[in-house]
Amino acid sequence: MTPNFAVLALLDGIAYASLLFLVAVGLTLVFGVLGILNIAHGSLYAIGAYVAATLGQWLVANGYNPWLTFPALFAGATVVGIALGGMLERFLLQRIYKKDEVLQLLVTFAVFMILENLQRMIWGVQPYFMSTPLNLLGNISFLGINYTAYQVLFLPAAAIVVLFALRHFLRHTAIGAQILAVTEDREAATSIGINATRVYFMTFVIGACFAALGGALATPTTSLVTGMGANMIVLSFAVAATAGLGQIEGAAVSALMIGVARAFAVYLSPELEVIMPYLIMVLVLLVKPNGLFGKDTARKI
Amino acid sequence: MSDYSASPLLLQAEGLKLRFGGIIAADGIDLSLHEGEHLAIIGPNGAGKTTFLNICTGYLRPQGGSVRFENREITAQPPRQITRLGIARAFQIPQLFAEQTVLENMLLAVSVRERHWNPLRNLHAVPERREMEGLLELVGCSDVRDRVASELPEGKRKLADIAIALALKPRVLLMDEPTSGVASADKFDVMETLMNALRQAKVSSVFVEHDMEMVSRYATRVAVWAQGKIQTTGAPEVVLNDPDVVRNVIGG
């Protein structure tokens, strides 16, 4: 492997890790607070991508300023996160919080299957492209390697902003403190007047927005195909489990580990690419069953 | 002992009934609390005393009877609603949020009370911060203000828990063995501070208690709860010397 390839693999890895983190952090936040492992998180990722692509294509086709595709990515993600995520929580999850974990898993899996087919009905099975934002930002040169600025600058920047904003929100704001309180002890939180139902709703919508944002920001870098949601939910679960479920900062580290390892596998031994994330997950969990940053009982998020 | 029956009625339970399987916790409980009172509930273990607190705060729905607060029906209303109306609760095990500091616990409570929903507002910047520091002063917890709740000695944890309850500006505080778990040498100091804080904040209270010395010093009235009924109620010096009570509850 030449140094050039190493740099290329590293950049690939960082770009991919940024998207992985966005999705995984939503999954882990929802699990940490609500205790539900939401398989339909993958659907929110895919639908976020499709909606952002559709919106972007429409803007370009109608002759609007192509730079508007950037806000379109965020707008699409937010709409999907709030509308679809909000409905899921309000009409479905709220009824099953007290039920068995296996049932919760099955319900979110069923939602995932339904949404998967809904995507096929709406967007068909042909691949979608919407690379305008990628083209607009152009290429930059890094250690002699040309790479798209969108992937090596914009995506990591978005991931870092999300990481620090979420950290700040949870640790330093009044609402964040309410979320932490409900996570630690729902009954005690209720006894000081916190509306736990509303906290759950809000947390789920935030997590859903991150999934949809991951999808929307992935749109310019890849063609959207059916089954992308399934790939992503499995991968982001691997990231969350490697970090320790509920670990937000940990998800960033393990997304980076898995993203970079996967990219190197592509160059070194492509046949390992698919199993690389799970290999890392298994190795980590063998040594640390609660994940890299997971604790037995302490803080859940 | 002064008589409070003339002061306004705060809490009124009538005919409360609740059984769990074969165990009768409440079998027609009538109990009331007037403003300024500090009512102690005593009785054998497992008699249903804590159940009463759980019914008043909405965590348990009685199978019969009703609870009224300031002449308003609150039976089986959601706990959060009841907290908002003015009934706060301190648990046998203090329910502080373990990884936050004492002050942050207070700021959280007050930001819920004041409905601070601005997601960008820093917890430490809430306008009621001074008020909260005052409450910590009142319960003698200023020295542990910035310590993480899980590291506090038990006595301080109890008092900080009371401060959090007071941050909600309640009219009534319900307490389950307020000094349990506190080293016996410190028990009366903790209770003294606690009751002084309640009097200054003009909060009335109901507390479940097993220590008769505590009851006789701090309760304005005592209710004896046994076999799902209030056996007797009255001034501590009368009730605690009642031969029946001594034989069945205190003497054991």
Side-chain angles (χ1 to χ4, degrees), chain B residues 6-25:
Chain B
S7 48
L9 192 58
L10 284 176
L11 196 62
Q12 188 177 26
E14 276 177 340
L16 288 183
K17 284 190 176 46
L18 186 62
R19 52 165 67 211
F20 305 100
I23 300 158
I24 299 163

PDB file of all heavy atoms in Angstrom, chain B residues 6-25:
ATOM      1  N   ALA B   6     -59.079  25.231  63.150  1.00  0.00           N
ATOM      2  CA  ALA B   6     -59.720  26.441  62.630  1.00  0.00           C
ATOM      3  C   ALA B   6     -59.019  26.964  61.384  1.00  0.00           C
ATOM      4  O   ALA B   6     -59.607  27.714  60.610  1.00  0.00           O
ATOM      5  CB  ALA B   6     -59.730  27.516  63.711  1.00  0.00           C
ATOM      6  N   SER B   7     -57.756  26.568  61.174  1.00  0.00           N
ATOM      7  CA  SER B   7     -57.064  27.089  59.981  1.00  0.00           C
ATOM      8  C   SER B   7     -57.525  26.332  58.735  1.00  0.00           C
ATOM      9  O   SER B   7     -58.096  25.248  58.830  1.00  0.00           O
ATOM     10  CB  SER B   7     -55.550  27.018  60.159  1.00  0.00           C
ATOM     11  OG  SER B   7     -55.153  25.769  60.622  1.00  0.00           O
ATOM     12  N   PRO B   8     -57.277  26.910  57.564  1.00  0.00           N
ATOM     13  CA  PRO B   8     -57.849  26.335  56.329  1.00  0.00           C
ATOM     14  C   PRO B   8     -57.432  24.882  56.103  1.00  0.00           C
ATOM     15  O   PRO B   8     -56.319  24.490  56.443  1.00  0.00           O
ATOM     16  CB  PRO B   8     -57.262  27.218  55.226  1.00  0.00           C
ATOM     17  CG  PRO B   8     -56.821  28.461  55.891  1.00  0.00           C
ATOM     18  CD  PRO B   8     -56.500  28.122  57.301  1.00  0.00           C
ATOM     19  N   LEU B   9     -58.357  24.138  55.548  1.00  0.00           N
ATOM     20  CA  LEU B   9     -58.119  22.721  55.263  1.00  0.00           C
ATOM     21  C   LEU B   9     -57.293  22.608  53.983  1.00  0.00           C
ATOM     22  O   LEU B   9     -57.621  23.190  52.960  1.00  0.00           O
ATOM     23  CB  LEU B   9     -59.476  22.044  55.064  1.00  0.00           C
ATOM     24  CG  LEU B   9     -59.526  20.524  55.039  1.00  0.00           C
ATOM     25  CD1 LEU B   9     -58.979  19.940  56.317  1.00  0.00           C
ATOM     26  CD2 LEU B   9     -60.963  20.074  54.818  1.00  0.00           C
ATOM     27  N   LEU B  10     -56.173  21.874  54.062  1.00  0.00           N
ATOM     28  CA  LEU B  10     -55.353  21.713  52.870  1.00  0.00           C
ATOM     29  C   LEU B  10     -55.647  20.389  52.167  1.00  0.00           C
ATOM     30  O   LEU B  10     -56.012  20.342  51.010  1.00  0.00           O
ATOM     31  CB  LEU B  10     -53.862  21.759  53.243  1.00  0.00           C
ATOM     32  CG  LEU B  10     -53.274  23.121  53.562  1.00  0.00           C
ATOM     33  CD1 LEU B  10     -51.833  22.978  53.993  1.00  0.00           C
ATOM     34  CD2 LEU B  10     -53.384  24.051  52.359  1.00  0.00           C
ATOM     35  N   LEU B  11     -55.454  19.324  52.927  1.00  0.00           N
ATOM     36  CA  LEU B  11     -55.545  17.999  52.336  1.00  0.00           C
ATOM     37  C   LEU B  11     -56.628  17.225  53.067  1.00  0.00           C
ATOM     38  O   LEU B  11     -56.678  17.248  54.295  1.00  0.00           O
ATOM     39  CB  LEU B  11     -54.191  17.303  52.504  1.00  0.00           C
ATOM     40  CG  LEU B  11     -53.889  16.073  51.658  1.00  0.00           C
ATOM     41  CD1 LEU B  11     -53.889  16.428  50.188  1.00  0.00           C
ATOM     42  CD2 LEU B  11     -52.520  15.520  52.053  1.00  0.00           C
ATOM     43  N   GLN B  12     -57.482  16.554  52.309  1.00  0.00           N
ATOM     44  CA  GLN B  12     -58.556  15.816  52.956  1.00  0.00           C
ATOM     45  C   GLN B  12     -58.789  14.500  52.232  1.00  0.00           C
ATOM     46  O   GLN B  12     -59.180  14.484  51.067  1.00  0.00           O
ATOM     47  CB  GLN B  12     -59.829  16.660  52.943  1.00  0.00           C
ATOM     48  CG  GLN B  12     -60.930  16.025  53.763  1.00  0.00           C
ATOM     49  CD  GLN B  12     -62.159  16.891  53.817  1.00  0.00           C
ATOM     50  OE1 GLN B  12     -62.393  17.688  52.895  1.00  0.00           O
ATOM     51  NE2 GLN B  12     -62.936  16.752  54.868  1.00  0.00           N
ATOM     52  N   ALA B  13     -58.517  13.409  52.946  1.00  0.00           N
ATOM     53  CA  ALA B  13     -58.778  12.077  52.390  1.00  0.00           C
ATOM     54  C   ALA B  13     -60.040  11.539  53.035  1.00  0.00           C
ATOM     55  O   ALA B  13     -60.229  11.673  54.244  1.00  0.00           O
ATOM     56  CB  ALA B  13     -57.605  11.158  52.667  1.00  0.00           C
ATOM     57  N   GLU B  14     -60.909  10.959  52.210  1.00  0.00           N
ATOM     58  CA  GLU B  14     -62.159  10.425  52.740  1.00  0.00           C
ATOM     59  C   GLU B  14     -62.408   9.016  52.232  1.00  0.00           C
ATOM     60  O   GLU B  14     -62.444   8.787  51.023  1.00  0.00           O
ATOM     61  CB  GLU B  14     -63.336  11.322  52.344  1.00  0.00           C
ATOM     62  CG  GLU B  14     -63.516  12.483  53.280  1.00  0.00           C
ATOM     63  CD  GLU B  14     -64.656  13.400  52.833  1.00  0.00           C
ATOM     64  OE1 GLU B  14     -65.032  13.355  51.638  1.00  0.00           O
ATOM     65  OE2 GLU B  14     -65.156  14.127  53.685  1.00  0.00           O
ATOM     66  N   GLY B  15     -62.543   8.094  53.169  1.00  0.00           N
ATOM     67  CA  GLY B  15     -62.946   6.723  52.834  1.00  0.00           C
ATOM     68  C   GLY B  15     -62.024   5.999  51.883  1.00  0.00           C
ATOM     69  O   GLY B  15     -62.466   5.176  51.081  1.00  0.00           O
ATOM     70  N   LEU B  16     -60.709   6.276  51.963  1.00  0.00           N
ATOM     71  CA  LEU B  16     -59.772   5.624  51.039  1.00  0.00           C
ATOM     72  C   LEU B  16     -59.744   4.121  51.257  1.00  0.00           C
ATOM     73  O   LEU B  16     -59.598   3.644  52.381  1.00  0.00           O
ATOM     74  CB  LEU B  16     -58.359   6.180  51.218  1.00  0.00           C
ATOM     75  CG  LEU B  16     -58.096   7.594  50.729  1.00  0.00           C
ATOM     76  CD1 LEU B  16     -56.628   7.938  50.931  1.00  0.00           C
ATOM     77  CD2 LEU B  16     -58.490   7.725  49.263  1.00  0.00           C
ATOM     78  N   LYS B  17     -59.872   3.384  50.168  1.00  0.00           N
ATOM     79  CA  LYS B  17     -59.795   1.924  50.222  1.00  0.00           C
ATOM     80  C   LYS B  17     -58.788   1.439  49.190  1.00  0.00           C
ATOM     81  O   LYS B  17     -58.823   1.864  48.036  1.00  0.00           O
ATOM     82  CB  LYS B  17     -61.161   1.312  49.892  1.00  0.00           C
ATOM     83  CG  LYS B  17     -62.163   1.403  51.023  1.00  0.00           C
ATOM     84  CD  LYS B  17     -63.363   0.541  50.659  1.00  0.00           C
ATOM     85  CE  LYS B  17     -64.368   0.438  51.678  1.00  0.00           C
ATOM     86  NZ  LYS B  17     -65.056   1.021  52.497  1.00  0.00           N
ATOM     87  N   LEU B  18     -57.909   0.555  49.627  1.00  0.00           N
ATOM     88  CA  LEU B  18     -56.978  -0.047  48.680  1.00  0.00           C
ATOM     89  C   LEU B  18     -56.463  -1.363  49.235  1.00  0.00           C
ATOM     90  O   LEU B  18     -56.006  -1.435  50.374  1.00  0.00           O
ATOM     91  CB  LEU B  18     -55.789   0.900  48.409  1.00  0.00           C
ATOM     92  CG  LEU B  18     -54.819   0.433  47.317  1.00  0.00           C
ATOM     93  CD1 LEU B  18     -55.499   0.305  45.968  1.00  0.00           C
ATOM     94  CD2 LEU B  18     -53.640   1.392  47.204  1.00  0.00           C
ATOM     95  N   ARG B  19     -56.602  -2.413  48.451  1.00  0.00           N
ATOM     96  CA  ARG B  19     -56.009  -3.681  48.856  1.00  0.00           C
ATOM     97  C   ARG B  19     -55.149  -4.238  47.729  1.00  0.00           C
ATOM     98  O   ARG B  19     -55.441  -4.069  46.552  1.00  0.00           O
ATOM     99  CB  ARG B  19     -57.086  -4.691  49.272  1.00  0.00           C
ATOM    100  CG  ARG B  19     -58.192  -4.892  48.253  1.00  0.00           C
ATOM    101  CD  ARG B  19     -58.992  -6.138  48.576  1.00  0.00           C
ATOM    102  NE  ARG B  19     -59.752  -6.017  49.818  1.00  0.00           N
ATOM    103  CZ  ARG B  19     -60.029  -7.044  50.628  1.00  0.00           C
ATOM    104  NH1 ARG B  19     -59.575  -8.244  50.324  1.00  0.00           N
ATOM    105  NH2 ARG B  19     -60.747  -6.866  51.703  1.00  0.00           N
ATOM    106  N   PHE B  20     -54.028  -4.852  48.142  1.00  0.00           N
ATOM    107  CA  PHE B  20     -53.157  -5.527  47.173  1.00  0.00           C
ATOM    108  C   PHE B  20     -53.320  -7.013  47.402  1.00  0.00           C
ATOM    109  O   PHE B  20     -52.841  -7.524  48.407  1.00  0.00           O
ATOM    110  CB  PHE B  20     -51.685  -5.178  47.398  1.00  0.00           C
ATOM    111  CG  PHE B  20     -51.388  -3.708  47.392  1.00  0.00           C
ATOM    112  CD1 PHE B  20     -51.228  -3.015  48.575  1.00  0.00           C
ATOM    113  CD2 PHE B  20     -51.274  -3.027  46.194  1.00  0.00           C
ATOM    114  CE1 PHE B  20     -50.937  -1.669  48.560  1.00  0.00           C
ATOM    115  CE2 PHE B  20     -50.978  -1.678  46.180  1.00  0.00           C
ATOM    116  CZ  PHE B  20     -50.815  -0.994  47.372  1.00  0.00           C
ATOM    117  N   GLY B  21     -53.958  -7.723  46.496  1.00  0.00           N
ATOM    118  CA  GLY B  21     -54.185  -9.148  46.712  1.00  0.00           C
ATOM    119  C   GLY B  21     -54.917  -9.341  48.024  1.00  0.00           C
ATOM    120  O   GLY B  21     -55.988  -8.778  48.245  1.00  0.00           O
ATOM    121  N   GLY B  22     -54.326 -10.083  48.957  1.00  0.00           N
ATOM    122  CA  GLY B  22     -54.995 -10.307  50.236  1.00  0.00           C
ATOM    123  C   GLY B  22     -54.687  -9.258  51.288  1.00  0.00           C
ATOM    124  O   GLY B  22     -55.258  -9.260  52.369  1.00  0.00           O
ATOM    125  N   ILE B  23     -53.747  -8.338  50.956  1.00  0.00           N
ATOM    126  CA  ILE B  23     -53.328  -7.373  51.973  1.00  0.00           C
ATOM    127  C   ILE B  23     -54.183  -6.125  51.900  1.00  0.00           C
ATOM    128  O   ILE B  23     -54.318  -5.512  50.844  1.00  0.00           O
ATOM    129  CB  ILE B  23     -51.846  -6.993  51.761  1.00  0.00           C
ATOM    130  CG1 ILE B  23     -50.983  -8.251  51.864  1.00  0.00           C
ATOM    131  CG2 ILE B  23     -51.415  -5.940  52.755  1.00  0.00           C
ATOM    132  CD1 ILE B  23     -49.654  -8.124  51.176  1.00  0.00           C
ATOM    133  N   ILE B  24     -54.766  -5.776  53.036  1.00  0.00           N
ATOM    134  CA  ILE B  24     -55.578  -4.566  53.066  1.00  0.00           C
ATOM    135  C   ILE B  24     -54.714  -3.415  53.552  1.00  0.00           C
ATOM    136  O   ILE B  24     -54.299  -3.377  54.703  1.00  0.00           O
ATOM    137  CB  ILE B  24     -56.788  -4.750  54.006  1.00  0.00           C
ATOM    138  CG1 ILE B  24     -57.650  -5.901  53.490  1.00  0.00           C
ATOM    139  CG2 ILE B  24     -57.589  -3.467  54.083  1.00  0.00           C
ATOM    140  CD1 ILE B  24     -58.606  -6.435  54.523  1.00  0.00           C
ATOM    141  N   ALA B  25     -54.411  -2.495  52.643  1.00  0.00           N
ATOM    142  CA  ALA B  25     -53.574  -1.358  53.019  1.00  0.00           C
ATOM    143  C   ALA B  25     -54.431  -0.247  53.609  1.00  0.00           C
ATOM    144  O   ALA B  25     -54.091   0.350  54.628  1.00  0.00           O
ATOM    145  CB  ALA B  25     -52.794  -0.850  51.809  1.00  0.00           C
TER     146      ALA B  25
END
